[in-house]
Amino acid sequence: MMMSGFFRFGVWQNFFRAWKSGYSGNLEGEGFTLGGVYVIGAGRQGVLLEHREKEFGDKVSLPSVLEAAEKIKPQAS
């Protein structure tokens, strides 16, 4: 995303949302890597939830993570 990410409206919305909630961060690192969240089930269940950041500050929905985690079935040994 490089510099074009700083000109996106959604990035600034996410920044102000985080700032208002008190998040400060450490401002270390290169700062251009987007993250993601995966919930992976046991055995052959595979990926139950995949969330990749599309722009800086894009958050995963906590209820969807909890819902996916509840679907994990223990693997028989």
Side-chain angles (χ1 to χ4, degrees), residues 11 23-24 29 40 44 54 58 61-63:
V11 172
Y23 180 78
S24 62
I40 302 173
R44 294 183 177 248
K54 293 178 180 71
D58 187 16
S61 163
L62 183 58

Side-chain angles (χ1 to χ4, degrees), residues 3 15 26 58 74:
M3 291 301 291
F15 169 76
N26 61 15
D58 187 16

Side-chain angles (χ1 to χ4, degrees), residues 7-62:
F7 298 113
R8 295 175 62 105
F9 180 69
V11 172
W12 287 101
Q13 280 183 316
N14 293 335
F15 169 76
F16 286 116
R17 176 186 39 79
W19 182 63
K20 284 181 183 179
S21 67
Y23 180 78
S24 62
N26 61 15
L27 302 178
E28 294 178 15
E30 51 94 358
F32 293 111
T33 304
L34 296 174
V37 175
Y38 292 91
V39 177
I40 302 173
R44 294 183 177 248
Q45 275 189 288
V47 178
L48 301 174
L49 174 81
E50 175 184 356
H51 170 81
R52 297 182 189 182
E53 276 187 321
K54 293 178 180 71
E55 59 188 20
F56 301 116
D58 187 16
K59 291 183 7 177
V60 66
S61 163
L62 183 58

